Amino acid sequence: DQQVKQNSPSLSVQEGRISILNCDYTNSMFDYFLWYKKYPAEGPTFLISISSIKDKNEDGRFTVFLNKSAKHLSLHIVPSQPGDSAVYFCAASAWGNQFYFGTGTSLTVIP
Amino acid sequence: DADVTQTPRNRITKTGKRIMLECSQTKGHDRMYWYRQDPGLGLRLIYYSFDVKDINKGEISDGYSVSRQAQAKFSLSLESAIPNQTALYFCATSDQLAGGSYNEQFFGPGTRLTVL
């Protein structure tokens, strides 16, 4: 059973606007969450992470929000740029052992 | 040079054949992982290793085996390949930070495997 879910397979956003990518999880033991970006023919690359002791982490244009009670996290990209077009995976881990990945959301930023 | 390399990058094989996918890293990380990616299923963990003497099964280890030949090398084998093992395979590494906190994984470029 999928422990990390990304229910939106795709998202299109105009350049300059906000992109919001969502992720839900079922395992309350998860204590570390990450977002990865993947371009075609490349491996995923780390984007941003958040520990369960926080509810927000910001890095430049990227902000991750964590709502533990709802078991939900989101990635905000502001402003969105055409180079942000990629597949985004969220991942979660308990005690840093196995990482469980979502199915990915394909983001297209329209110039 | 890439920190995490995978060979081969593409492979086509036939049902029943034995195949090995290799992963090497120059990051000096202790932890290494093998994942497969399938359309609509994301990345799923096959095996992981926290050091040379430590091998652990992931979510979908059936039909696969691994070997951790050295800190820098982690190989994935399909003893008798079958068509539903057709997928994109990724190797990844990570390092555990001091104090037990975690760090992100670094992925190789992937191996596209087709089993006919």
Side-chain angles (χ1 to χ4, degrees), chain B residues 41-60:
Chain B
L41 293 176
L43 283 84
R44 293 181 293 166
L45 183 63
I46 306 172
Y47 272 95
Y48 62 104
S49 168
F50 283 176
D51 65 39
V52 174
K53 297 181 181 179
D54 176 79
I55 302 290
N56 303 282
K57 293 183 177 181
E59 298 174 76
I60 53 165

Side-chain angles (χ1 to χ4, degrees), chain A residues 1-2 31-32 34 36 38 41-46 87 89 93-104, chain B residues 9 31 33 35 37 40-43 45 48 50 57-59 88 90 94 102-110:
Chain A
D1 198 19
Q2 196 84 17
D31 61 356
Y32 190 58
L34 311 91
Y36 288 84
K38 184 184 181 304
E42 296 182 10
T45 55
F46 170 74
V87 177
F89 291 98
S93 175
W95 310 297
N97 292 332
Q98 297 190 46
F99 287 84
Y100 295 87
F101 283 77
T103 52
Chain B
R9 293 294 311 277
R31 301 182 170 197
Y33 309 78
Y35 292 88
Q37 183 188 4
L41 293 176
L43 283 84
L45 183 63
Y48 62 104
F50 283 176
K57 293 183 177 181
E59 298 174 76
L88 191 54
F90 289 102
S94 72
Y102 320 134
N103 209 347
E104 72 271 20
Q105 294 176 318
F106 295 83
F107 284 81

Side-chain angles (χ1 to χ4, degrees), chain B residues 1 8 13 20 25 29-30 41 45-46 49 86 88 90-91 93 97 100 104 111-112 115-116:
Chain B
D1 287 342
T13 191
M20 178 182 287
Q25 53 114 347
H29 290 167
D30 287 328
L41 293 176
L45 183 63
I46 306 172
S49 168
T86 293
L88 191 54
F90 289 102
C91 174
T93 74
L97 299 176
E104 72 271 20
T111 294
R112 185 166 296 279
V115 183
L116 302 176

